[in-house]
């Protein structure tokens, strides 16, 4: 199945930026298990609605990462009262440290999942539209950096495929040959990046970049649906922040495991879950409407 149409990305750039700002910031600050679970599930759900079956492989790759990060943390963090076993001359491996490692691993996996969909929703033209007038130079640099990653992946795939055809891929031969083939690809990528930077600089200079007042062109309009969704997202974010301030998201893993389960936790989790569900709900609703209309043809 090919990549599916992402209806949420068709909203105004302010909507997309507000959502990802909330998802990233709250995702890195909240370590309560309920909030972490909601964030991970919603990030994975939205990624699947965008990528379809192609996203299953990426999600499957997140599982061993989660397990590895969870198990590694207790090796360095020895805080906790319940010891599972000891190693290296009595160094404790505790349940509390393992739970804390799972929380950190869930946070890392969630942020990676949000970033995986971010590159498709927040395109460079949207980023320039939002911040081009405020800080044009910084915005241009950030846009080029964000664009560099997918371009690098595409070019590495092309070079690796070409070298595989002549039997010189990075995973063929003995260890010495693998290193040599891999360094050749790195060298080619470095040369391509430097050459591309020079060409882009010359092109921008010849087009008069920086010589006069910069103008912008935009095709984005703030419509009624954008206004309604902006109000909803703002109310949900305010609710989550209020509940967090009231201690609803408080959680402690070491030296003792303790989490808040009061009314503010429930209210904050519900608001947080609804906020993170918005992109997935928009895409699923659009798919349902499309299937209904197609069945009437």
């Amino acid at each position: 199945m090919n990549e599916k149409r992402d209806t949420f990305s068709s909203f105004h750039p302010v909507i997309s930026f507000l959502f990802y700002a909330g998802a990233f910031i709250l995702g890195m600050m909240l370590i309560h298990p309920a909030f972490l679970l909601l964030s991970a599930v919603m990030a994975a759900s939205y990624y699947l609605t965008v990528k379809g079956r192609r996203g299953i492989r990426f999600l499957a790759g997140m599982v061993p990462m989660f397990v590895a990060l969870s198990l590694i943390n207790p090796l360095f963090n020895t805080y906790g009262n319940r010891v599972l076993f000891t190693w290296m001359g009595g160094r404790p491996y505790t349940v509390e440290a393992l739970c804390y490692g799972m929380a950190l691993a869930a946070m890392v996996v969630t942020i990676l999942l949000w970033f995986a969909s971010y590159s498709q929703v927040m395109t460079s033209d949207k980023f320039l539209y939002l911040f081009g007038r405020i800080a044009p130079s910084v915005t241009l640099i950030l846009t080029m950096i964000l664009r560099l990653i997918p371009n690098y992946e595409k070019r590495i795939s092309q070079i690796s495929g070409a070298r595989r055809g002549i039997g010189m891929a990075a995973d063929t031969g003995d260890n010495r040959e693998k290193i040599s083939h891999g360094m050749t690809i790195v060298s080619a990528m470095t040369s391509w990046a430097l050459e591309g930077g020079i060409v882009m600089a010359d092109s921008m200079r010849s087009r008069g970049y920086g010589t006069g007042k910069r103008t912008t062109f935009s095709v984005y309009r703030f419509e009624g649906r954008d206004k309604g969704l902006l109000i909803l997202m703002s109310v949900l974010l305010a609710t989550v922040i209020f509940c967090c301030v009231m201690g609803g998201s408080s959680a402690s893993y070491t030296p003792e495991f303790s989490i808040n389960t009061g009314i503010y936790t429930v209210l904050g989790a519900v608001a947080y879950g609804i906020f993170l569900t918005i992109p997935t709900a928009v895409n699923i609703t659009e798919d349902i409407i499309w299937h209904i209309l197609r069945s009437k043809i």
Side-chain angles (χ1 to χ4, degrees), residues 237-249:
L237 280 176
T239 303
V240 175
I241 294 173
F242 172 76
C243 293
C244 292
V245 172
M246 299 302 295
S249 62

Side-chain angles (χ1 to χ4, degrees), residues 125-160:
D125 57 331
K126 291 182 179 180
F127 201 83
L128 286 172
Y129 169 79
L130 291 174
F131 302 103
R133 296 182 180 179
I134 301 175
S137 299
V138 176
T139 304
L140 178 63
I141 293 175
L142 290 177
T143 302
M144 293 173 63
I145 293 174
L146 293 174
R147 183 186 177 188
L148 188 65
I149 297 175
N151 286 348
Y152 254 63
E153 292 179 349
K154 183 178 180 180
R155 186 56 63 94
I156 288 177
S157 177
Q158 293 175 349
I159 296 176
S160 299

Side-chain angles (χ1 to χ4, degrees), residues 4-295:
K4 304 171 68 176
R5 181 177 182 271
D6 182 24
T7 306
F8 180 73
S9 62
S10 64
F11 281 79
H12 195 272
V14 172
I15 301 298
S16 302
F17 179 77
L18 177 62
F19 173 79
Y20 278 103
F24 285 141
I25 295 175
L26 294 177
M28 291 185 292
M29 294 179 60
L30 304 179
I31 61 172
H32 193 285
F35 290 85
L36 288 173
L37 179 61
L38 286 171
S39 184
V41 171
M42 291 302 103
S45 300
Y46 180 49
Y47 184 77
L48 285 178
T49 61
V50 174
K51 295 291 186 178
R53 293 181 181 177
R54 293 181 56 187
I56 297 178
R57 179 180 297 181
F58 181 77
L59 292 180
M62 294 292 103
V63 175
M65 177 183 292
F66 172 80
V67 174
L69 293 176
S70 301
L71 297 178
I72 288 175
N73 181 73
L75 299 178
F76 302 94
N77 183 1
T78 60
Y79 292 102
N81 298 325
R82 290 174 288 183
V83 180
L84 289 175
F85 58 87
T86 58
W87 65 293
M88 288 185 63
R91 189 177 180 87
Y93 193 98
T94 64
V95 175
E96 290 80 5
L98 178 61
C99 293
Y100 187 58
M102 294 174 63
L104 294 179
M107 184 184 301
V108 172
V109 169
T110 298
I111 297 301
L112 290 177
L113 288 174
W114 285 129
F115 265 116
S117 61
Y118 173 88
S119 60
Q120 181 163 335
V121 177
M122 284 297 297
T123 55
S124 58
D125 57 331
K126 291 182 179 180
F127 201 83
L128 286 172
Y129 169 79
L130 291 174
F131 302 103
R133 296 182 180 179
I134 301 175
S137 299
V138 176
T139 304
L140 178 63
I141 293 175
L142 290 177
T143 302
M144 293 173 63
I145 293 174
L146 293 174
R147 183 186 177 188
L148 188 65
I149 297 175
N151 286 348
Y152 254 63
E153 292 179 349
K154 183 178 180 180
R155 186 56 63 94
I156 288 177
S157 177
Q158 293 175 349
I159 296 176
S160 299
R163 292 183 62 83
R164 188 180 300 278
I166 59 176
M168 301 181 66
D171 57 352
T172 58
D174 54 26
N175 292 333
R176 183 175 181 180
E177 291 175 339
K178 289 180 180 179
I179 296 175
S180 177
H181 296 163
M183 291 303 297
T184 302
I185 295 177
V186 172
S187 176
M189 289 300 303
T190 303
S191 301
W192 171 77
L194 293 175
E195 181 181 356
I198 296 173
V199 172
M200 181 177 294
D202 292 341
S203 176
M204 294 173 64
R205 186 180 297 109
S206 63
R207 295 167 185 257
Y209 181 82
T211 59
K213 186 177 180 180
R214 187 171 180 269
T215 59
T216 57
F217 170 76
S218 173
V219 296
Y220 303 109
R221 292 184 179 181
F222 200 79
E223 302 175 350
R225 64 169 190 168
D226 300 310
K227 183 178 180 180
L229 194 56
L230 178 62
I231 294 174
L232 175 61
M233 292 172 62
S234 300
V235 172
L236 292 173
L237 280 176
T239 303
V240 175
I241 294 173
F242 172 76
C243 293
C244 292
V245 172
M246 299 302 295
S249 62
S250 61
S252 176
Y253 292 88
T254 56
E256 293 183 356
F257 182 75
S258 174
I259 59 174
N260 195 332
T261 57
I263 183 63
Y264 290 112
T265 301
V266 176
L267 181 60
V270 170
Y272 189 55
I274 296 175
F275 174 79
L276 296 179
T277 308
I278 288 176
T280 306
V282 169
N283 287 347
I284 293 177
T285 303
E286 182 68 18
D287 287 342
I288 293 174
I289 294 175
W290 182 79
H291 283 294
I292 292 176
L293 294 177
R294 190 179 67 170
S295 64

